Amino acid sequence: MTTINIIGTGNVAWHLARAFGSKNEVIVMQIAGRNHKKLEAFKDFTRELVSISQLVPADVTIVAVSDDSINNVYNKIPFQDQLVVHTSGFTEMLSRKHTSNHTGVFYPLQSFSKEDTELSFKEIPILIEAADDKNEKTLRVLADVISDNVQVINSNQRKHLHLAAVFANNFTNYCYTIAEDICKQNEIPFDTLHPLLLKTSEKAIQNGPKQSQTGPAKRNDLNVINTQQELIKDPTHKRVYETITKAIQHLYGEKL
Amino acid sequence: MTTINIIGTGNVAWHLARAFGSKNEVIVMQIAGRNHKKLEAFKDFTRELVSISQLVPADVTIVAVSDDSINNVYNKIPFQDQLVVHTSGFTEMLSRKHTSNHTGVFYPLQSFSKEDTELSFKEIPILIEAADDKNEKTLRVLADVISDNVQVINSNQRKHLHLAAVFANNFTNYCYTIAEDICKQNEIPFDTLHPLLLKTSEKAIQNGPKQSQTGPAKRNDLNVINTQQELIKDPTHKRVYETITKAIQHLYGEKL
């Protein structure tokens, strides 16, 4: 049995609270946040809703707040000798005053939104890090309760994984946004592209992205490339087209 | 009952031959190609494997060859008064000598590969265009046999849809490639990102990509952006990071 507290009222906090709140192996003692209205949405997942100053020790206190706020929240936690972790991919494992060993990271790698009420943690990777073996073991036991994919990585690896996620999620999503714009401008329903979107991610998973690359840039088909450049009117879209086309041409070794 | 011929031995030809070859409403009369070895792989889908000069008329002859070759193949077809279509998103509907009405386009919008032996055409959009109503109707009847999503669009729309597909498939896949590179360089298994890849495309489909955008560029989080730029060593990756980050910042109206 592991007891936990959660600090934060955002999407990561909500999904962790919901996942742990339904498990017999974990007791969610307290959930803390500044925004009382947002905090109310967490009441079914925990024994008690509190403010940070009212927190009492638990085996693990999970700080699921924005990168900018982690340090500030750490300093407000009113106990010393219990493990405190954050959930950020970007921020290093932080030491806490007087209690440098009782720190760690519990990073669930997924794009969370509150609408996603069916989300299962089973396949979501949880990347953990701790200042010592005992705390690492505690985090692993806790993560194993909700996920089948728990890995230990260090802060430098996690920072790079988070960067990779920016390419794999933020940037791909922006490419979809451009595609949607082009469809709208030409009165084509965007859902015409939906099957292609799904197949693209499925193929990259099955065969690897390098193996799955197709298109005019890979073939160095200058006729198509030049015509498409002329079709694009938006200067921002044009810059994205040119930059990625050059990058793909470069990767696949065609003459530049 | 519609009779068809298929010209070409690539991935599009193969998947169309396989799809139509199993349908009672269609007879695949002949499949033609220059490469005899590749052509052999099509023998279960048709009555006869031939060279282009041996083709006999069918209701529809589908020319599934590269953009560069379409015109050349059209000129070799040894009959005049039957409908001939190509399968390209990029190439305009081409007229044929003496038979300008018997032309059209049959563009299945998907990323095809031969390994994908389980592929179902049901959800794959087929974009059709024809020079007159009679031929458009013939193409619609044919497309309806294999797909639940058949749309009529003109050459200009199709060209833009093809451009949108470059962003939605080629460019997203290249972003995955960079993500994989970063993982490899930091000894993180790429499959750690697989659930995120899937969720990203699913969310863009459910909520639309504009609604689904997250990340440091959208938040205009300069601390994360600057740190990530320093993390990236590969100059090509860095250019892609900077270009897309600026584009997202611009789209979401943050100060540049």
Short mmCIF file of all heavy atoms in Angstrom, two decimals, chain B residues 188-247:
data_model
loop_
_atom_site.label_atom_id
_atom_site.label_comp_id
_atom_site.label_asym_id
_atom_site.label_seq_id
_atom_site.Cartn_x
_atom_site.Cartn_y
_atom_site.Cartn_z
N ILE B 188 17.35 6.06 -25.61
CA ILE B 188 15.96 5.89 -25.18
C ILE B 188 15.26 5.11 -26.28
O ILE B 188 15.36 5.47 -27.46
CB ILE B 188 15.26 7.27 -25.02
CG1 ILE B 188 16.03 8.16 -24.05
CG2 ILE B 188 13.81 7.09 -24.58
CD1 ILE B 188 15.74 9.64 -24.25
N PRO B 189 14.56 4.01 -25.96
CA PRO B 189 13.87 3.28 -27.04
C PRO B 189 12.79 4.17 -27.68
O PRO B 189 12.02 4.81 -26.97
CB PRO B 189 13.25 2.07 -26.33
CG PRO B 189 13.42 2.29 -24.87
CD PRO B 189 14.39 3.40 -24.64
N PHE B 190 12.77 4.19 -29.02
CA PHE B 190 11.79 5.04 -29.72
C PHE B 190 10.36 4.64 -29.39
O PHE B 190 9.45 5.46 -29.42
CB PHE B 190 12.04 4.98 -31.24
CG PHE B 190 11.09 5.82 -32.05
CD1 PHE B 190 10.96 7.19 -31.83
CD2 PHE B 190 10.31 5.24 -33.06
CE1 PHE B 190 10.08 7.97 -32.58
CE2 PHE B 190 9.42 6.02 -33.81
CZ PHE B 190 9.32 7.38 -33.57
N ASP B 191 10.16 3.36 -29.05
CA ASP B 191 8.77 2.94 -28.78
C ASP B 191 8.18 3.62 -27.53
O ASP B 191 6.98 3.57 -27.32
CB ASP B 191 8.60 1.41 -28.76
CG ASP B 191 9.46 0.75 -27.71
OD1 ASP B 191 9.96 1.44 -26.80
OD2 ASP B 191 9.62 -0.49 -27.78
N THR B 192 9.05 4.27 -26.75
CA THR B 192 8.53 5.09 -25.64
C THR B 192 7.59 6.18 -26.17
O THR B 192 6.66 6.60 -25.48
CB THR B 192 9.70 5.74 -24.87
OG1 THR B 192 10.65 4.73 -24.52
CG2 THR B 192 9.23 6.43 -23.60
N LEU B 193 7.85 6.62 -27.40
CA LEU B 193 7.01 7.67 -27.99
C LEU B 193 5.78 7.13 -28.74
O LEU B 193 4.92 7.91 -29.16
CB LEU B 193 7.84 8.53 -28.95
CG LEU B 193 8.80 9.53 -28.32
CD1 LEU B 193 9.71 10.15 -29.38
CD2 LEU B 193 8.04 10.66 -27.60
N HIS B 194 5.70 5.83 -28.93
CA HIS B 194 4.60 5.29 -29.75
C HIS B 194 3.20 5.69 -29.26
O HIS B 194 2.37 6.13 -30.07
CB HIS B 194 4.70 3.76 -29.83
CG HIS B 194 5.79 3.29 -30.75
ND1 HIS B 194 6.08 1.96 -30.96
CD2 HIS B 194 6.68 3.98 -31.52
CE1 HIS B 194 7.08 1.85 -31.81
NE2 HIS B 194 7.46 3.05 -32.15
N PRO B 195 2.91 5.56 -27.95
CA PRO B 195 1.56 5.97 -27.53
C PRO B 195 1.27 7.45 -27.81
O PRO B 195 0.15 7.81 -28.16
CB PRO B 195 1.56 5.68 -26.02
CG PRO B 195 2.63 4.65 -25.82
CD PRO B 195 3.69 4.98 -26.84
N LEU B 196 2.30 8.29 -27.70
CA LEU B 196 2.10 9.71 -27.98
C LEU B 196 1.81 9.94 -29.47
O LEU B 196 0.95 10.76 -29.83
CB LEU B 196 3.35 10.50 -27.57
CG LEU B 196 3.27 12.02 -27.76
CD1 LEU B 196 2.23 12.63 -26.83
CD2 LEU B 196 4.62 12.68 -27.54
N LEU B 197 2.51 9.23 -30.34
CA LEU B 197 2.27 9.35 -31.78
C LEU B 197 0.81 9.04 -32.11
O LEU B 197 0.14 9.80 -32.83
CB LEU B 197 3.15 8.34 -32.55
CG LEU B 197 4.43 8.83 -33.20
CD1 LEU B 197 5.38 9.39 -32.17
CD2 LEU B 197 5.10 7.68 -33.95
N LEU B 198 0.34 7.93 -31.58
CA LEU B 198 -1.04 7.51 -31.87
C LEU B 198 -2.03 8.53 -31.32
O LEU B 198 -2.98 8.93 -32.00
CB LEU B 198 -1.33 6.15 -31.24
CG LEU B 198 -0.88 4.94 -32.03
CD1 LEU B 198 -1.32 3.68 -31.32
CD2 LEU B 198 -1.43 4.96 -33.46
N LYS B 199 -1.81 8.96 -30.08
CA LYS B 199 -2.73 9.90 -29.44
C LYS B 199 -2.77 11.22 -30.21
O LYS B 199 -3.83 11.86 -30.32
CB LYS B 199 -2.29 10.12 -27.99
CG LYS B 199 -3.15 11.05 -27.18
CD LYS B 199 -4.59 10.59 -27.05
CE LYS B 199 -4.75 9.51 -26.00
NZ LYS B 199 -6.17 9.07 -25.86
N THR B 200 -1.63 11.64 -30.74
CA THR B 200 -1.56 12.91 -31.46
C THR B 200 -2.47 12.89 -32.68
O THR B 200 -3.24 13.83 -32.91
CB THR B 200 -0.10 13.21 -31.86
OG1 THR B 200 0.71 13.20 -30.70
CG2 THR B 200 0.01 14.55 -32.55
N SER B 201 -2.42 11.82 -33.46
CA SER B 201 -3.27 11.77 -34.65
C SER B 201 -4.73 11.58 -34.25
O SER B 201 -5.63 12.20 -34.82
CB SER B 201 -2.81 10.68 -35.63
OG SER B 201 -2.66 9.43 -35.00
N GLU B 202 -4.98 10.78 -33.21
CA GLU B 202 -6.37 10.57 -32.76
C GLU B 202 -7.01 11.87 -32.27
O GLU B 202 -8.15 12.17 -32.59
CB GLU B 202 -6.41 9.54 -31.62
CG GLU B 202 -6.20 8.11 -32.09
CD GLU B 202 -5.97 7.15 -30.92
OE1 GLU B 202 -6.10 7.58 -29.75
OE2 GLU B 202 -5.63 5.99 -31.19
N LYS B 203 -6.23 12.64 -31.51
CA LYS B 203 -6.76 13.91 -31.00
C LYS B 203 -7.04 14.91 -32.11
O LYS B 203 -8.04 15.62 -32.08
CB LYS B 203 -5.75 14.55 -30.04
CG LYS B 203 -5.92 14.14 -28.61
CD LYS B 203 -5.02 15.02 -27.77
CE LYS B 203 -5.37 14.94 -26.32
NZ LYS B 203 -4.46 15.75 -25.49
N ALA B 204 -6.12 14.98 -33.07
CA ALA B 204 -6.33 15.92 -34.18
C ALA B 204 -7.59 15.55 -34.95
O ALA B 204 -8.30 16.42 -35.46
CB ALA B 204 -5.11 15.92 -35.10
N ILE B 205 -7.89 14.26 -35.01
CA ILE B 205 -9.10 13.81 -35.70
C ILE B 205 -10.33 14.13 -34.86
O ILE B 205 -11.33 14.63 -35.37
CB ILE B 205 -8.99 12.30 -36.01
CG1 ILE B 205 -8.01 12.09 -37.16
CG2 ILE B 205 -10.36 11.69 -36.33
CD1 ILE B 205 -7.64 10.65 -37.42
N GLN B 206 -10.26 13.88 -33.56
CA GLN B 206 -11.43 14.10 -32.71
C GLN B 206 -11.74 15.57 -32.48
O GLN B 206 -12.89 15.99 -32.55
CB GLN B 206 -11.23 13.41 -31.35
CG GLN B 206 -11.61 11.94 -31.38
CD GLN B 206 -11.08 11.20 -30.16
OE1 GLN B 206 -10.86 11.79 -29.11
NE2 GLN B 206 -10.85 9.91 -30.31
N ASN B 207 -10.72 16.35 -32.17
CA ASN B 207 -10.95 17.74 -31.75
C ASN B 207 -10.48 18.77 -32.76
O ASN B 207 -10.64 19.97 -32.54
CB ASN B 207 -10.25 18.00 -30.42
CG ASN B 207 -10.59 16.96 -29.37
OD1 ASN B 207 -11.72 16.49 -29.31
ND2 ASN B 207 -9.61 16.56 -28.57
N GLY B 208 -9.86 18.32 -33.84
CA GLY B 208 -9.27 19.26 -34.80
C GLY B 208 -7.87 19.65 -34.35
O GLY B 208 -7.61 19.78 -33.14
N PRO B 209 -6.93 19.85 -35.29
CA PRO B 209 -5.54 20.14 -34.90
C PRO B 209 -5.38 21.50 -34.21
O PRO B 209 -4.56 21.61 -33.30
CB PRO B 209 -4.78 20.07 -36.22
CG PRO B 209 -5.79 20.14 -37.30
CD PRO B 209 -7.07 19.63 -36.73
N LYS B 210 -6.13 22.49 -34.63
CA LYS B 210 -5.94 23.82 -34.02
C LYS B 210 -6.26 23.74 -32.52
O LYS B 210 -5.55 24.28 -31.67
CB LYS B 210 -6.83 24.84 -34.74
CG LYS B 210 -6.51 26.26 -34.37
CD LYS B 210 -6.22 27.19 -35.54
CE LYS B 210 -5.59 28.48 -35.05
NZ LYS B 210 -6.46 29.65 -35.17
N GLN B 211 -7.33 23.05 -32.20
CA GLN B 211 -7.77 22.86 -30.82
C GLN B 211 -6.79 22.00 -30.02
O GLN B 211 -6.68 22.13 -28.80
CB GLN B 211 -9.16 22.17 -30.86
CG GLN B 211 -9.86 22.04 -29.54
CD GLN B 211 -10.31 23.40 -29.02
OE1 GLN B 211 -10.47 24.34 -29.78
NE2 GLN B 211 -10.47 23.48 -27.71
N SER B 212 -6.06 21.12 -30.71
CA SER B 212 -5.20 20.14 -30.03
C SER B 212 -3.78 20.63 -29.80
O SER B 212 -2.99 19.93 -29.17
CB SER B 212 -5.13 18.85 -30.87
OG SER B 212 -6.42 18.37 -31.15
N GLN B 213 -3.43 21.80 -30.33
CA GLN B 213 -2.05 22.25 -30.22
C GLN B 213 -1.65 22.49 -28.77
O GLN B 213 -2.40 23.13 -28.03
CB GLN B 213 -1.84 23.53 -31.04
CG GLN B 213 -0.39 23.96 -31.18
CD GLN B 213 0.41 22.99 -32.04
OE1 GLN B 213 0.03 22.69 -33.14
NE2 GLN B 213 1.51 22.48 -31.50
N THR B 214 -0.52 21.99 -28.38
CA THR B 214 0.06 22.26 -27.06
C THR B 214 1.55 22.52 -27.24
O THR B 214 2.06 22.46 -28.36
CB THR B 214 -0.12 21.06 -26.10
OG1 THR B 214 0.53 19.92 -26.68
CG2 THR B 214 -1.58 20.75 -25.83
N GLY B 215 2.25 22.76 -26.15
CA GLY B 215 3.71 22.83 -26.21
C GLY B 215 4.28 24.22 -25.99
O GLY B 215 3.56 25.21 -25.94
N PRO B 216 5.61 24.28 -25.85
CA PRO B 216 6.29 25.54 -25.53
C PRO B 216 6.07 26.63 -26.57
O PRO B 216 5.94 27.81 -26.21
CB PRO B 216 7.77 25.15 -25.44
CG PRO B 216 7.89 23.79 -26.04
CD PRO B 216 6.55 23.15 -25.90
N ALA B 217 6.00 26.29 -27.86
CA ALA B 217 5.82 27.33 -28.88
C ALA B 217 4.45 27.96 -28.75
O ALA B 217 4.31 29.19 -28.80
CB ALA B 217 6.02 26.74 -30.28
N LYS B 218 3.42 27.15 -28.54
CA LYS B 218 2.08 27.71 -28.39
C LYS B 218 2.00 28.60 -27.14
O LYS B 218 1.40 29.65 -27.17
CB LYS B 218 1.04 26.60 -28.31
CG LYS B 218 -0.36 27.19 -28.31
CD LYS B 218 -1.43 26.21 -27.97
CE LYS B 218 -2.75 26.96 -27.81
NZ LYS B 218 -3.81 26.09 -27.29
N ARG B 219 2.62 28.13 -26.04
CA ARG B 219 2.62 28.92 -24.79
C ARG B 219 3.59 30.10 -24.85
O ARG B 219 3.66 30.90 -23.93
CB ARG B 219 3.05 28.03 -23.61
CG ARG B 219 2.15 26.90 -23.24
CD ARG B 219 2.53 26.34 -21.85
NE ARG B 219 3.93 25.98 -21.72
CZ ARG B 219 4.46 24.81 -22.07
NH1 ARG B 219 3.69 23.88 -22.61
NH2 ARG B 219 5.74 24.56 -21.90
N ASN B 220 4.39 30.13 -25.92
CA ASN B 220 5.48 31.10 -26.04
C ASN B 220 6.39 31.06 -24.81
O ASN B 220 6.78 32.09 -24.26
CB ASN B 220 4.92 32.51 -26.25
CG ASN B 220 5.96 33.46 -26.84
OD1 ASN B 220 6.84 33.03 -27.58
ND2 ASN B 220 5.89 34.72 -26.49
N ASP B 221 6.74 29.84 -24.41
CA ASP B 221 7.57 29.62 -23.22
C ASP B 221 9.04 29.70 -23.64
O ASP B 221 9.66 28.72 -24.03
CB ASP B 221 7.23 28.23 -22.65
CG ASP B 221 7.92 27.96 -21.33
OD1 ASP B 221 8.99 28.55 -21.07
OD2 ASP B 221 7.39 27.14 -20.56
N LEU B 222 9.59 30.92 -23.55
CA LEU B 222 10.92 31.16 -24.10
C LEU B 222 12.02 30.43 -23.35
O LEU B 222 13.05 30.08 -23.93
CB LEU B 222 11.21 32.68 -24.14
CG LEU B 222 10.21 33.49 -24.98
CD1 LEU B 222 10.57 34.98 -24.94
CD2 LEU B 222 10.15 32.98 -26.42
N ASN B 223 11.79 30.16 -22.08
CA ASN B 223 12.77 29.40 -21.31
C ASN B 223 12.94 28.00 -21.90
O ASN B 223 14.06 27.55 -22.19
CB ASN B 223 12.31 29.32 -19.84
CG ASN B 223 13.23 28.48 -18.99
OD1 ASN B 223 14.44 28.42 -19.24
ND2 ASN B 223 12.67 27.82 -17.98
N VAL B 224 11.82 27.31 -22.13
CA VAL B 224 11.89 25.97 -22.72
C VAL B 224 12.44 26.05 -24.14
O VAL B 224 13.32 25.26 -24.53
CB VAL B 224 10.50 25.30 -22.70
CG1 VAL B 224 10.54 23.95 -23.43
CG2 VAL B 224 10.00 25.10 -21.27
N ILE B 225 11.94 26.99 -24.93
CA ILE B 225 12.36 27.09 -26.33
C ILE B 225 13.88 27.31 -26.43
O ILE B 225 14.57 26.62 -27.19
CB ILE B 225 11.61 28.24 -27.05
CG1 ILE B 225 10.11 27.86 -27.19
CG2 ILE B 225 12.21 28.52 -28.42
CD1 ILE B 225 9.22 29.01 -27.64
N ASN B 226 14.41 28.23 -25.64
CA ASN B 226 15.85 28.51 -25.71
C ASN B 226 16.68 27.31 -25.27
O ASN B 226 17.69 26.97 -25.88
CB ASN B 226 16.20 29.73 -24.86
CG ASN B 226 15.61 31.00 -25.45
OD1 ASN B 226 15.34 31.07 -26.65
ND2 ASN B 226 15.37 31.99 -24.60
N THR B 227 16.23 26.65 -24.20
CA THR B 227 16.96 25.47 -23.73
C THR B 227 16.93 24.36 -24.77
O THR B 227 17.95 23.69 -25.02
CB THR B 227 16.35 24.96 -22.41
OG1 THR B 227 16.31 26.05 -21.48
CG2 THR B 227 17.18 23.84 -21.82
N GLN B 228 15.78 24.16 -25.40
CA GLN B 228 15.69 23.09 -26.39
C GLN B 228 16.54 23.40 -27.62
O GLN B 228 17.18 22.51 -28.18
CB GLN B 228 14.22 22.87 -26.78
CG GLN B 228 13.42 22.31 -25.60
CD GLN B 228 12.09 21.70 -25.98
OE1 GLN B 228 11.42 22.21 -26.86
NE2 GLN B 228 11.70 20.64 -25.30
N GLN B 229 16.58 24.67 -28.02
CA GLN B 229 17.44 25.02 -29.15
C GLN B 229 18.90 24.68 -28.86
O GLN B 229 19.61 24.21 -29.75
CB GLN B 229 17.31 26.52 -29.47
CG GLN B 229 16.07 26.81 -30.31
CD GLN B 229 15.85 28.29 -30.53
OE1 GLN B 229 16.13 29.08 -29.64
NE2 GLN B 229 15.34 28.65 -31.68
N GLU B 230 19.30 24.89 -27.61
CA GLU B 230 20.69 24.56 -27.25
C GLU B 230 20.93 23.05 -27.21
O GLU B 230 22.03 22.57 -27.48
CB GLU B 230 21.05 25.16 -25.89
CG GLU B 230 21.31 26.65 -25.97
CD GLU B 230 21.33 27.30 -24.60
OE1 GLU B 230 21.68 26.61 -23.61
OE2 GLU B 230 20.99 28.50 -24.51
N LEU B 231 19.88 22.30 -26.89
CA LEU B 231 20.02 20.83 -26.82
C LEU B 231 20.25 20.22 -28.21
O LEU B 231 20.90 19.19 -28.33
CB LEU B 231 18.75 20.20 -26.24
CG LEU B 231 18.52 20.21 -24.74
CD1 LEU B 231 17.20 19.52 -24.43
CD2 LEU B 231 19.66 19.53 -23.99
N ILE B 232 19.69 20.86 -29.24
CA ILE B 232 19.74 20.28 -30.59
C ILE B 232 21.10 20.55 -31.21
O ILE B 232 21.50 21.70 -31.39
CB ILE B 232 18.63 20.87 -31.49
CG1 ILE B 232 17.26 20.65 -30.85
CG2 ILE B 232 18.67 20.23 -32.88
CD1 ILE B 232 16.13 21.36 -31.58
N LYS B 233 21.81 19.48 -31.55
CA LYS B 233 23.14 19.65 -32.15
C LYS B 233 23.07 19.65 -33.68
O LYS B 233 23.81 20.36 -34.34
CB LYS B 233 24.08 18.52 -31.68
CG LYS B 233 24.32 18.51 -30.16
CD LYS B 233 25.18 19.69 -29.72
CE LYS B 233 25.17 19.88 -28.21
NZ LYS B 233 24.30 20.97 -27.76
N ASP B 234 22.21 18.82 -34.26
CA ASP B 234 22.12 18.68 -35.71
C ASP B 234 21.57 19.98 -36.33
O ASP B 234 20.47 20.42 -36.00
CB ASP B 234 21.20 17.50 -36.03
CG ASP B 234 21.08 17.22 -37.52
OD1 ASP B 234 20.75 18.15 -38.29
OD2 ASP B 234 21.29 16.07 -37.90
N PRO B 235 22.34 20.62 -37.24
CA PRO B 235 21.89 21.90 -37.79
C PRO B 235 20.57 21.81 -38.58
O PRO B 235 19.78 22.76 -38.57
CB PRO B 235 23.04 22.34 -38.71
CG PRO B 235 23.88 21.13 -38.92
CD PRO B 235 23.67 20.22 -37.75
N THR B 236 20.34 20.68 -39.23
CA THR B 236 19.07 20.53 -39.96
C THR B 236 17.90 20.44 -38.98
O THR B 236 16.86 21.09 -39.16
CB THR B 236 19.10 19.27 -40.85
OG1 THR B 236 20.26 19.31 -41.67
CG2 THR B 236 17.87 19.20 -41.73
N HIS B 237 18.07 19.65 -37.93
CA HIS B 237 17.02 19.55 -36.91
C HIS B 237 16.76 20.92 -36.28
O HIS B 237 15.63 21.29 -35.99
CB HIS B 237 17.42 18.56 -35.81
CG HIS B 237 17.59 17.16 -36.29
ND1 HIS B 237 17.96 16.12 -35.47
CD2 HIS B 237 17.42 16.59 -37.52
CE1 HIS B 237 18.02 15.00 -36.18
NE2 HIS B 237 17.71 15.27 -37.42
N LYS B 238 17.84 21.66 -36.07
CA LYS B 238 17.71 22.99 -35.45
C LYS B 238 16.89 23.92 -36.34
O LYS B 238 16.04 24.66 -35.86
CB LYS B 238 19.12 23.57 -35.21
CG LYS B 238 19.20 24.58 -34.07
CD LYS B 238 20.58 25.22 -33.99
CE LYS B 238 21.57 24.49 -33.12
NZ LYS B 238 21.43 24.80 -31.68
N ARG B 239 17.16 23.88 -37.65
CA ARG B 239 16.39 24.73 -38.58
C ARG B 239 14.91 24.36 -38.55
O ARG B 239 14.05 25.24 -38.57
CB ARG B 239 16.93 24.60 -40.01
CG ARG B 239 17.90 25.71 -40.39
CD ARG B 239 18.14 25.75 -41.89
NE ARG B 239 18.68 24.48 -42.41
CZ ARG B 239 19.97 24.16 -42.37
NH1 ARG B 239 20.85 24.98 -41.87
NH2 ARG B 239 20.37 23.00 -42.85
N VAL B 240 14.62 23.06 -38.53
CA VAL B 240 13.21 22.63 -38.48
C VAL B 240 12.58 23.11 -37.17
O VAL B 240 11.46 23.64 -37.17
CB VAL B 240 13.11 21.09 -38.61
CG1 VAL B 240 11.68 20.62 -38.35
CG2 VAL B 240 13.58 20.63 -39.99
N TYR B 241 13.32 22.94 -36.06
CA TYR B 241 12.79 23.38 -34.76
C TYR B 241 12.46 24.87 -34.79
O TYR B 241 11.37 25.30 -34.38
CB TYR B 241 13.80 23.08 -33.65
CG TYR B 241 13.28 23.42 -32.26
CD1 TYR B 241 12.66 22.46 -31.47
CD2 TYR B 241 13.37 24.72 -31.75
CE1 TYR B 241 12.16 22.76 -30.21
CE2 TYR B 241 12.86 25.05 -30.51
CZ TYR B 241 12.27 24.06 -29.73
OH TYR B 241 11.77 24.37 -28.50
N GLU B 242 13.39 25.66 -35.30
CA GLU B 242 13.20 27.11 -35.29
C GLU B 242 12.06 27.54 -36.21
O GLU B 242 11.24 28.39 -35.86
CB GLU B 242 14.51 27.82 -35.67
CG GLU B 242 15.53 27.69 -34.54
CD GLU B 242 16.94 28.17 -34.92
OE1 GLU B 242 17.13 28.62 -36.08
OE2 GLU B 242 17.83 28.09 -34.07
N THR B 243 12.02 26.95 -37.39
CA THR B 243 10.98 27.33 -38.36
C THR B 243 9.58 27.01 -37.84
O THR B 243 8.68 27.85 -37.90
CB THR B 243 11.22 26.60 -39.70
OG1 THR B 243 12.52 26.91 -40.18
CG2 THR B 243 10.18 27.01 -40.74
N ILE B 244 9.39 25.80 -37.31
CA ILE B 244 8.04 25.43 -36.86
C ILE B 244 7.69 26.16 -35.57
O ILE B 244 6.54 26.58 -35.37
CB ILE B 244 7.89 23.90 -36.72
CG1 ILE B 244 8.22 23.22 -38.06
CG2 ILE B 244 6.47 23.54 -36.28
CD1 ILE B 244 7.91 21.76 -38.12
N THR B 245 8.67 26.34 -34.69
CA THR B 245 8.39 27.07 -33.45
C THR B 245 7.91 28.49 -33.77
O THR B 245 6.89 28.95 -33.24
CB THR B 245 9.65 27.11 -32.56
OG1 THR B 245 9.91 25.77 -32.11
CG2 THR B 245 9.46 28.01 -31.34
N LYS B 246 8.62 29.17 -34.67
CA LYS B 246 8.21 30.53 -35.08
C LYS B 246 6.81 30.51 -35.69
O LYS B 246 6.00 31.41 -35.44
CB LYS B 246 9.20 31.11 -36.09
CG LYS B 246 10.37 31.80 -35.42
CD LYS B 246 11.25 32.48 -36.46
CE LYS B 246 12.58 32.87 -35.84
NZ LYS B 246 13.67 32.95 -36.82
N ALA B 247 6.54 29.51 -36.51
CA ALA B 247 5.23 29.43 -37.18
C ALA B 247 4.11 29.26 -36.15
O ALA B 247 3.06 29.89 -36.24
CB ALA B 247 5.22 28.27 -38.18
#
